[in-house]
């Protein structure tokens, strides 16, 4: 068996990492070391409690097993499940990553200058590494296929949104763009297809948006802005109906502020959610975690074992039973 090569955030995506099948872009499963450092608010917790509370993609039992087997380590050493973490310590989580597929559309560069590029983002691809995605991102694909790095996103588009993206090539240019955005010198417009007959004339939604990072979704808060109980950030969006067929409407969206999922949640708030937005169209369980350490026994939830699903599984196994091999047998256990 070949030695396991553990990738880290320092390893850039490569062209050979991608497989194209039936109109989708897949990423070859790979071994990856998630690296973090203990924040002050994490200090004093056991390693298992820390992961269970802060990284909710897996249950307590998984993290307990991962610590025992060495898949979770502290300062490059195996620890016991009752180990108490200290501030600034390095935490590693060794996994076998399976990134969800995205549409196989090209990420084309529309305009390029020494310190800025503009690209056309297809739908289904996240802008930068987040959650389940690392290589199947706009930043990752541009680096792998165009050799463009580093990149500093000036603004973001949700994964399911298509449109123009501007990237700075250096931190100074990115800061200049951010200053222009803060000064109101740059404006963004979106077009959305929504459910129902959207009202005529300009509609303004002025309601706080509260984003829950752990749940990955936003909610609207309505009330007196002076009420200290409101946790969301002030948000305002202007809408104008372009057309309607009596069942759905095409709407021009002009965000005055730039909160996470602002347009999506404001449209939901006014009774006209985006027509294919599963996150805000209805309540759905999105507790999908495609990462596994020993597959195909731990197959990602939400994917079948059809031809496409096979690319999301590790095919290197000898039978229904498996055991985990510690990445380095010389690691010692901290008590």
């Amino acid at each position: 068996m070949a030695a396991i090569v553990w990738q880290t955030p320092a390893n850039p995506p490569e062209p050979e990492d991608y497989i194209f099948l039936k109109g989708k872009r897949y990423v070859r499963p790979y071994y990856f070391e998630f690296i973090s450092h203990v924040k002050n608010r994490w200090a004093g917790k056991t390693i298992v409690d820390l992961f269970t509370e802060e990284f909710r993609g897996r249950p307590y039992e998984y993290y307990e097993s991962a610590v025992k087997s060495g898949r979770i380590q502290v300062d490059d050493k195996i620890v016991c499940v009752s180990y108490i973490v200290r501030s600034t310590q390095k935490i590693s989580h060794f996994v076998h990553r399976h990134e969800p597929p995205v549409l196989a559309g090209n990420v084309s560069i529309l305009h390029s200058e020494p310190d800025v590029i503009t690209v056309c983002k297809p739908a289904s691809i996240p802008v930068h590494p987040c959650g389940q995605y690392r290589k199947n991102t706009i930043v990752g694909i541009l680096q792998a296929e165009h050799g463009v790095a580093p990149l500093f996103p000036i603004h973001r588009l949700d994964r399911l949104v298509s449109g123009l993206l501007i990237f700075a090539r250096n931190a100074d240019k990115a800061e200049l763009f951010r200053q222009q955005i803060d000064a109101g010198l740059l404006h963004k417009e979106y077009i959305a297809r929504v459910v129902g007959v959207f009202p005529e004339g300009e509609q303004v939604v002025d309601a706080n948006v509260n984003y829950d990072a752990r749940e990955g979704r936003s909610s609207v808060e309505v009330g007196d802005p002076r009420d200290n109980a409101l946790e969301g950030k002030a948000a305002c969006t202007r809408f104008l109906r372009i057309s309607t067929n009596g069942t759905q409407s095409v709407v021009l969206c002009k965000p005055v502020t730039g909160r996470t999922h602002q347009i999506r949640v404001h449209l939901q708030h006014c009774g006209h959610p985006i027509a294919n937005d599963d996150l805000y169209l209805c309540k759905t369980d999105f507790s999908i975690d495609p990462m596994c350490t020993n597959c195909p026994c731990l197959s990602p939830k939400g994917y079948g074992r059809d031809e496409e699903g096979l690319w999301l599984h590790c095919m290197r196994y000898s039978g229904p039973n498996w055991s985990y091999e510690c990445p380095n047998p010389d690691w010692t256990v901290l008590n």
Side-chain angles (χ1 to χ4, degrees):
M1 181 181 296
I4 293 177
V5 177
W6 293 97
Q7 298 185 32
T8 71
N11 298 104
E14 303 288 347
E16 56 269 22
D17 293 337
Y18 300 98
I19 297 172
F20 297 88
L21 179 68
K22 294 184 178 180
K24 294 183 179 179
R25 177 193 294 265
Y26 293 86
V27 173
R28 297 179 186 275
Y30 57 98
Y31 290 95
F32 188 75
E33 178 187 0
F34 281 98
I35 300 174
S36 183
H37 290 84
V38 178
K39 302 177 182 179
N40 288 334
R41 64 183 177 86
W42 296 355
K45 296 182 179 180
T46 68
I47 186 67
V48 176
D49 287 343
L50 186 160
F51 271 87
T52 303
E53 295 171 10
E54 299 294 334
F55 307 100
R56 300 185 178 184
R58 290 189 178 274
Y60 180 93
E61 291 75 18
Y62 167 80
Y63 290 124
E64 186 177 46
S65 174
V67 171
K68 290 179 179 178
S69 64
R71 297 196 297 271
I72 291 177
Q73 300 181 13
V74 179
D75 289 335
D76 299 321
K77 295 180 175 63
I78 299 175
V79 299
C80 60
V81 294
S82 60
Y83 182 82
I84 304 296
V85 300
R86 301 186 302 274
S87 181
T88 73
Q89 283 186 302
K90 175 189 173 184
I91 300 177
S92 298
H93 186 192
F94 297 91
V95 300
H96 192 240
R97 292 199 70 171
H98 299 255
E99 296 192 28
V102 299
L103 296 179
N106 292 327
V107 179
S108 53
I109 298 177
L110 303 179
H111 183 74
S112 179
E113 297 179 9
D115 54 2
V116 63
I117 64 170
T118 303
V119 304
C120 182
K121 174 192 174 306
S124 82
I125 308 178
V127 174
H128 52 77
C130 58
Q132 306 170 64
Y133 301 87
R134 176 173 170 260
K135 299 182 181 183
N136 250 351
T137 62
I138 298 296
V139 169
I141 293 170
L142 287 173
Q143 186 171 11
E145 298 183 352
H146 297 276
V148 181
L151 291 174
F152 299 81
I154 302 305
H155 62 102
R156 293 170 175 80
L157 295 175
D158 288 345
R159 182 176 64 86
L160 299 178
V161 176
S162 62
L164 300 181
L165 274 176
I166 301 174
F167 291 94
R169 301 293 303 276
N170 56 71
D172 290 340
K173 190 66 174 181
E175 179 59 27
L176 178 60
F177 270 110
R178 292 191 181 97
Q179 291 175 5
Q180 293 176 338
I181 292 174
D182 292 341
L185 300 178
L186 298 179
H187 303 278
K188 295 181 288 183
E189 294 184 354
Y190 301 79
I191 295 178
R193 184 180 295 277
V194 303
V195 173
V197 178
F198 199 84
E200 291 184 318
E202 184 179 65
Q203 307 293 316
V204 179
V205 177
D206 193 350
N208 285 21
V209 171
N210 186 14
Y211 178 67
D212 187 330
R214 293 180 178 176
E215 298 295 332
R217 59 186 296 152
S218 293
S219 58
V220 166
E221 294 180 336
V222 180
D224 190 334
R226 296 170 295 182
D227 187 352
N228 294 330
L230 295 179
E231 298 180 355
K233 297 180 179 179
C236 180
T237 314
R238 301 180 182 276
F239 300 103
L240 183 65
R241 191 180 81 187
I242 297 175
S243 65
T244 182
N245 61 7
T247 302
Q248 296 179 339
S249 302
V250 177
V251 178
L252 175 65
C253 314
K254 298 181 178 181
V256 179
T257 54
R259 310 308 180 195
T260 302
H261 297 180
Q262 175 179 313
I263 293 175
R264 299 163 68 182
V265 75
H266 273 180
L267 284 169
Q268 179 203 45
H269 175 66
C270 64
H272 298 278
I274 294 176
N276 65 342
D277 189 350
D278 289 336
L279 186 58
Y280 294 105
L281 191 62
C282 60
K283 292 186 177 180
T284 310
D285 181 10
F286 282 86
S287 56
I288 297 174
D289 184 353
M291 297 181 297
C292 70
T293 49
N294 299 274
C295 43
C297 298
L298 293 179
S299 59
K301 296 179 181 179
Y303 298 99
R305 294 180 177 270
D306 55 11
E307 182 179 359
E308 297 180 11
L310 288 176
W311 293 109
L312 299 172
H313 298 284
C314 174
M315 301 178 193
R316 194 167 50 79
Y317 73 110
S318 59
N321 299 319
W322 54 268
S323 61
Y324 178 82
E325 295 183 3
C326 183
N328 189 335
D330 295 329
W331 278 326
T332 58
V333 178
L334 295 179
N335 293 316

